[in-house]
Amino acid sequence: MQVSPDFIRARTARHRRLAEIGDGGADRLAGARVVVVGAGGLGSTAIPYLAAAGVGRIDVFDDDVVEVSNLNRQVLHSVDTLGQPKVASAKAAGERIAPEVQVVGHQMRLGTDFADVVDPLRPDIIIDGSDSFDTRFVVDEGAAKLGVPVVFGALMQWSAQVTVFDAAGRYGPAVRLTDIFPDSAEVRATPGCAEMGILGSVSGMVGTMLATEAIKLIVGAGKNLVGRMLVVDALDMQITEIALHQPAQSQWANIPAVTAEILVQDDPPVVLDVRRAEEIAEEPVELDTVDIPFDQLNDQTQLALLEKGRPIVTLCRTGPRSIRAAQQLAAAGHNVVGYLDGGMQALQSEANV
């Protein structure tokens, strides 16, 4: 279905108002491609919210058909779709919510050729909402070959695990599924929801978290879950965070936070502003800066704006993007001396004192 640009802007107006997204982020979402493995409990929530966010193309892989026992948690489906492919429900949901979004269903069981199957789709993100370690290991291996991050969720009874694996180390420490769960017969035999049970609403809670993490990675907002895992206990309503790497051993932990005092010394560093153009227009900074949006830090033409060897301090709105930018540039050999602690908000607070 063809819809007008005015319709799309109206449909996405509420998240366009977020400083971390804006029109630029909405454009990045519209140009993004996400692969979702599984249209079950997790996919049922993640897929509609990805479509609602305006993700340009969503490829859904699932070989199952809808069964009665799915209906306590898999809200994509209904009694009217019993016996039909789950990927058909995913496609229908996308068309119903966001006609401009392309949802493509692949009714197939994934095998060791996962990377070959997915590579032509050119995904930016893979969401693993599968329910077995057999499939999870296949996704992990394929994503590592492609250098694509995996937003990961696993459910059991009242609890869940949520993280982002990034074998390429583009978004944080290079952590894979197999670094946490060894590929062994014991792990592969871990019982799933069919054996252990699951509360349907827990699937919904975690599915929205997976969609949110994917959206954050696409627009470059906030602090992602690379290198840390959330363990959700819905029965006691507690969320525990577990570190998945040793910061002292990681290049991603070696960039110091600096304050504005470093900018008034005799030979100040270059201030690299990694905010989007519309953010800078809304909140201009009274400093001489080099402006390169976070999502363009791999563009060599843009990086040529940085004087070779000159000390660099990175800046964003609140801090998280400047931290990742500093880490990325330092890993690429640039002379990064720190990131501005607290970002623009800290500068504004200091100016108001």
Side-chain angles (χ1 to χ4, degrees):
M1 176 181 174
Q2 294 293 321
V3 294
S4 69
D6 287 344
F7 173 88
I8 296 172
R9 287 190 63 85
R11 196 187 64 72
T12 58
R14 293 299 183 269
H15 67 243
R16 286 174 184 266
R17 292 187 64 83
L18 298 173
E20 294 81 5
I21 297 181
D23 290 342
D27 289 343
R28 284 194 287 280
L29 288 167
R33 294 169 172 243
V34 176
V35 163
V36 179
V37 178
L42 295 174
S44 277
T45 313
I47 293 165
Y49 274 107
L50 292 172
V55 170
R57 175 165 170 147
I58 306 167
D59 285 273
V60 183
F61 288 82
D62 197 307
D63 70 330
D64 268 346
V65 298
V66 181
E67 301 176 359
V68 173
S69 61
N70 301 149
L71 301 183
N72 84 311
R73 66 198 182 283
Q74 299 183 18
V75 293
L76 270 181
H77 318 302
S78 70
V79 292
D80 296 328
T81 62
L82 290 172
Q84 296 180 19
K86 290 182 179 179
V87 293
S89 299
K91 182 174 177 61
E95 293 173 348
R96 184 176 67 251
I97 296 168
E100 79 278 10
V101 170
Q102 185 180 11
V103 181
V104 181
H106 305 265
Q107 191 180 12
M108 59 183 294
R109 180 172 290 278
L110 297 173
T112 54
D113 61 346
F114 177 72
D116 295 330
V117 171
V118 171
D119 188 28
L121 304 176
R122 295 181 288 110
D124 299 291
I125 309 288
I126 297 171
I127 292 181
D128 186 356
S130 59
D131 59 0
S132 76
F133 271 99
D134 288 339
T135 301
R136 291 166 186 154
F137 286 129
V138 163
V139 173
D140 174 71
E141 180 68 24
K145 287 181 179 178
L146 298 175
V148 177
V150 178
V151 181
F152 173 89
L155 301 168
M156 183 176 291
Q157 297 182 326
W158 294 83
S159 65
Q161 298 169 332
V162 186
T163 188
V164 177
F165 295 118
D166 179 23
R170 289 173 54 205
Y171 296 91
V175 180
R176 290 179 53 177
L177 173 73
T178 48
D179 295 326
I180 312 304
F181 300 102
D183 187 352
S184 65
E186 292 78 15
V187 172
R188 285 180 178 266
T190 302
C193 295
E195 297 82 13
M196 299 295 291
I198 181 68
L199 179 68
S201 57
V202 176
S203 301
M205 289 171 58
V206 177
T208 56
M209 295 170 78
L210 301 185
T212 301
E213 283 299 296
I215 291 165
K216 284 163 54 184
L217 291 173
I218 291 167
V219 302
K223 181 180 179 182
N224 64 49
L225 282 174
V226 177
R228 57 199 184 105
M229 176 180 285
L230 300 185
V231 179
V232 180
D233 178 354
L235 192 59
D236 291 332
M237 203 48 74
Q238 294 182 338
I239 298 179
T240 304
E241 180 177 316
I242 299 174
L244 301 183
H245 71 112
Q246 296 297 322
Q249 299 174 0
S250 172
Q251 66 179 5
W252 297 90
N254 295 330
I255 307 298
V258 298
T259 66
E261 292 179 359
I262 197 173
L263 306 179
V264 295
Q265 61 188 23
D266 291 339
D267 186 19
V270 172
V271 178
L272 174 61
D273 193 334
V274 298
R275 294 178 296 159
R276 301 187 308 275
E278 62 268 25
E279 291 181 86
I280 294 173
E282 291 172 3
E283 291 185 295
V285 59
E286 295 182 3
L287 296 168
D288 290 330
T289 63
V290 174
D291 302 337
I292 304 177
F294 176 77
D295 64 341
Q296 296 180 29
L297 287 178
N298 290 322
D299 186 330
Q300 293 304 313
T301 302
Q302 293 275 34
L303 290 177
L305 298 172
L306 294 171
E307 184 179 337
K308 208 68 174 176
R310 182 83 181 274
I312 298 169
V313 168
T314 55
L315 166 71
C316 70
R317 181 171 176 267
T318 58
R321 276 176 293 174
S322 61
I323 295 171
R324 296 202 301 279
Q327 293 165 340
Q328 182 174 327
L329 290 170
H334 290 272
N335 182 17
V336 181
V337 296
Y339 63 91
L340 197 61
D341 194 19
M344 272 296 297
Q345 289 190 355
L347 286 179
Q348 291 169 341
S349 296
E350 187 171 306
N352 294 329
V353 173

